[in-house]
Amino acid sequence: MSDDEEITYLRKQKTIHYGSLEDQERIRLSTLTATDSDGEPKAVGGNINVSNEHFDLEDAMSKDKQALLEEFERKKKARHVQVSTDDDEVKKNLRKLGQAICLFGEGPAERRNRLRELLSRVGEDVVAKKPEEEKEKRQQIKDQDTTWYHEGPPSLLDARLFMAEYSLLKAHFRLKSLREEASIPESTLTARLQDLHKYTTSLSIYCSQIGDTRPISYCRFSPNSQYIATSSWSGLCKLWSVPDCTLVKTFRGHNCNVCSITFNPHACSTGNVLDLASCASDGSVKLWSMNSEKEEPIADLEGHAPFRVSRADFHPSGRFLGTCCFDNSWRLWDLEQAEEVLHQEGHCKPVYCMSFQCDGSIVATGGLDAFGRVWDLRTGRCIMFMEGHLKSIYSIDFSPNGYQMATGSEDNTCRIWDVRKRACLYTIPAHMSLVSGLRYQPDGHFIVTSSYDNTIKIWANKTWQMLKTLSGHDNKIMGVDISPDSKYIASSSYDRTFKLWAPEYTT
């Protein structure tokens, strides 16, 4: 290019924008976005994030102002909160509010200020309300533990008066007997222990009998020790002679598993009509007579169905019958008036077993809730709560001394209780499986326990040492009993047999 050539300069044309820049930007973005199949904005020219969210600066500022005002009002309120100058009272109030009574390096003044700040937040009346709430909570817990009572018929008063008069007379003779026993010389007691040791060490199977085609659930000796009654899952109850175990009579009436059968204390006596009572899993309870020519029951006690009745036991007077029901209650029947006089609740699970004290004044019940209770039949009150077993209680029996009892549980232990102390005296690690039955010897010298581990064990009273283990059943043992004359021990088993155990020198 020569120096003579003319250079031409082009001036850039000015662009004038009309309208708002916001509108121009919106138009530009509309050309760069499209709509997808869901109707949502889709970027065409690049990754452009489009959002409809807006940040309202004025709202954020108003919330901050509100928080500041609230904090200002709270501090103003805190200055007017009345706080005690007694440091012990301040600590007590902090404890009621669930706060630490003292922080590291905190003095009384700082502690008062901390309490004042807390009260300004939760309110000054919280400290006063706390004791009332705790009192109400304790009352609710107390109401839950309260035993509920059914209103009994007018005949219940007559029954209670009868049991009070009966038990007072029996207690008089029992205490007299215990005083006489306490005066026995030491040499005589030693001789008795030697005889007991000789008796237990010589025990063996005396007789074994196939009782039914199905498991034998229960067995009981008659008061004169001449008979033994057995119940079976076939629905049959049978009466056998002792000691030859010959079938005397068959009782037919139950249509399902019979849970237990028991003798009236006055059975086998002259003029007595009612001799036995049995109960079954369908809720039926039937009364039997040994002298009746028929095999049917003489009476039925209705009112349990459809709940299972696991145990039935006679009151020592023979006038009343207690039944354990799976509706979490136990019943007391007046056999002379032929009606139910007491329907007692108290267990939170089915009541499985029961035992009357020898005086007839109290009764003990054990349930599948792992708890036992002792009831005063003269007042209807629960006088003792037995807590300690880890699993269900399946057997219970009172000692002849009238103030001790034993319980057998699914936790494989046997516990000894004292009614006077209302406490557990001893825990016997009895078996390798659940304790299905236990009985005190009539003189109270030892206890016999049966278990699902196929064994029977004998335990000395007071020392609770094991004296003898009886083995012979092929399956779990479901019940055990001792004859009133202490000559025989009977056991019923799942192997469909019952056995009599006696010393080798017994004739």
Side-chain angles (χ1 to χ4, degrees):
M1 178 182 292
S2 65
D3 296 336
D4 297 336
E5 292 181 2
E6 185 178 357
I7 300 175
T8 306
Y9 295 94
L10 297 176
R11 180 177 294 179
K12 186 177 179 180
Q13 187 178 1
K14 294 182 178 180
T15 304
I16 300 174
H17 298 275
Y18 296 94
S20 171
L21 291 176
E22 183 180 354
D23 295 338
Q24 294 293 330
E25 183 68 16
R26 188 180 296 110
I27 295 172
R28 188 180 69 82
L29 290 175
S30 64
T31 60
L32 296 176
T33 57
T35 304
D36 60 8
S37 58
D38 297 332
E40 296 293 334
K42 182 179 180 182
V44 176
N47 296 328
I48 300 175
N49 296 326
V50 180
S51 175
N52 295 325
E53 296 181 359
H54 300 278
F55 180 74
D56 196 336
L57 185 60
E58 293 183 0
D59 291 345
M61 293 178 64
S62 64
K63 290 180 180 178
D64 292 340
K65 289 181 180 180
Q66 185 67 24
L68 290 172
L69 289 174
E70 291 178 357
E71 182 67 16
F72 178 77
E73 291 293 334
R74 188 189 63 77
K75 289 182 177 180
K76 182 179 178 181
K77 181 180 178 181
R79 289 194 295 268
H80 295 84
V81 173
Q82 300 295 328
V83 178
S84 175
T85 56
D86 186 0
D87 192 48
D88 292 336
E89 185 71 21
V90 171
K91 291 180 179 179
K92 187 184 297 183
N93 291 335
L94 286 171
R95 179 62 70 194
K96 290 180 181 178
L97 293 174
Q99 300 293 324
I101 61 174
C102 185
L103 299 179
F104 180 75
E106 185 182 53
E110 291 86 355
R111 193 158 33 249
R112 289 182 68 245
N113 291 333
R114 181 159 62 93
L115 177 60
R116 183 181 288 109
E117 291 288 332
L118 288 171
L119 293 178
S120 67
R121 289 188 176 93
V122 299
E124 296 183 59
D125 57 344
V126 172
V127 177
K129 287 182 178 179
K130 282 287 183 181
E132 297 179 0
E133 293 177 357
E134 294 176 358
K135 183 178 180 181
E136 184 178 354
K137 187 176 181 180
R138 288 195 299 268
Q139 184 63 33
Q140 290 177 355
I141 296 174
K142 185 178 179 181
D143 292 341
Q144 291 177 358
D145 296 338
T146 301
T147 303
W148 294 94
Y149 298 92
H150 286 267
E151 184 177 356
S155 55
L156 178 60
L157 177 60
D158 297 334
R160 293 200 190 282
L161 291 174
F162 173 85
M163 285 185 283
E165 295 176 359
Y166 178 87
S167 62
L168 286 173
L169 184 62
K170 292 276 289 187
H172 172 74
F173 289 107
R174 176 176 61 84
L175 294 175
K176 181 179 179 181
S177 176
L178 291 175
R179 294 189 191 99
E180 294 175 355
E181 186 176 348
S183 61
I184 296 177
E186 189 69 24
S187 58
T188 305
L189 295 176
T190 304
R192 286 184 180 180
L193 291 176
Q194 292 176 351
D195 292 340
L196 174 62
H197 183 74
K198 180 181 178 181
Y199 171 85
T200 55
T201 53
S202 61
L203 282 171
S204 61
I205 296 178
Y206 182 87
C207 180
S208 180
Q209 178 66 272
I210 298 177
D212 208 298
T213 57
R214 297 210 62 194
I216 309 298
S217 59
Y218 210 69
C219 61
R220 273 292 180 268
F221 280 101
S222 63
N224 59 5
S225 302
Q226 296 179 4
Y227 301 97
I228 183 172
T230 61
S231 61
S232 170
W233 282 8
S234 67
L236 297 178
C237 299
K238 297 182 179 181
L239 188 67
W240 309 81
S241 61
V242 176
D244 54 356
C245 295
T246 303
L247 181 62
V248 176
K249 191 171 184 176
T250 302
F251 301 104
R252 306 178 187 273
H254 291 289
N255 299 319
C256 59
N257 300 0
V258 183
C259 299
S260 73
I261 186 169
T262 185
F263 276 94
N264 188 321
H266 304 304
C268 307
S269 60
T270 306
N272 191 69
V273 178
L274 174 59
D275 296 310
L276 299 108
S278 62
C279 57
S281 58
D282 61 355
S284 60
V285 178
K286 299 184 181 294
L287 308 179
W288 312 89
S289 175
M290 297 171 55
N291 300 322
S292 175
E293 297 180 358
K294 298 180 180 180
E295 297 181 343
E296 288 78 16
I298 58 176
D300 292 341
L301 300 181
E302 300 178 353
H304 303 91
F307 298 100
R308 173 183 176 184
V309 180
S310 55
R311 291 289 183 268
D313 195 18
F314 278 96
H315 186 265
S317 66
R319 174 178 170 178
F320 303 97
L321 179 71
T323 55
C324 301
C325 190
F326 266 43
D327 63 353
N328 306 353
S329 70
W330 61 274
R331 323 284 183 92
L332 188 67
W333 301 80
D334 190 336
L335 302 177
E336 288 187 3
Q337 303 182 37
E339 66 173 329
E340 176 188 297
V341 294
L342 180 61
H343 179 190
Q344 182 63 64
E345 293 180 340
H347 292 268
C348 59
K349 285 188 177 181
V351 183
Y352 195 87
C353 54
M354 70 187 312
S355 176
F356 286 96
Q357 187 221 27
C358 55
D359 296 342
S361 58
I362 57 179
V363 62
T365 57
L368 301 187
D369 54 4
F371 300 126
R373 289 179 179 268
V374 180
W375 309 85
D376 190 340
L377 295 171
R378 300 161 297 185
T379 62
R381 295 181 178 274
C382 177
I383 61 174
M384 181 178 175
F385 181 72
M386 293 178 284
E387 181 180 11
H389 281 295
L390 303 178
K391 294 184 179 180
S392 305
I393 297 177
Y394 285 133
S395 52
I396 191 168
D397 191 35
F398 260 104
S399 170
N401 62 22
Y403 57 85
Q404 286 183 349
M405 56 185 163
T407 55
S409 171
E410 190 182 359
D411 61 9
N412 308 346
T413 66
C414 174
R415 284 179 175 260
I416 310 300
W417 308 83
D418 193 319
V419 179
R420 302 170 303 178
K421 298 179 180 180
R422 299 186 183 183
C424 177
L425 299 180
Y426 195 80
T427 301
I428 305 174
H431 291 272
M432 300 300 293
S433 186
L434 65 86
V435 181
S436 58
L438 59 84
R439 294 287 283 179
Y440 269 95
Q441 189 251 358
D443 294 331
H445 296 317
F446 61 85
I447 300 176
V448 177
T449 61
S450 63
S451 172
Y452 275 17
D453 63 4
N454 306 356
T455 63
I456 302 168
K457 294 185 179 181
I458 303 174
W459 309 87
N461 199 350
K462 295 184 180 180
T463 61
W464 314 120
Q465 295 180 347
M466 188 178 68
L467 302 177
K468 181 77 172 181
T469 299
L470 305 177
S471 301
H473 282 287
D474 298 330
N475 212 320
K476 52 192 177 185
I477 301 175
M478 306 180 73
V480 68
D481 193 23
I482 306 175
S483 62
D485 58 8
S486 300
K487 289 184 178 181
Y488 303 99
I489 295 175
S491 59
S492 58
S493 173
Y494 197 84
D495 61 10
R496 299 172 293 124
T497 69
F498 72 93
K499 300 182 187 297
L500 289 183
W501 308 79
E504 297 178 353
Y505 54 80
T506 300
T507 57

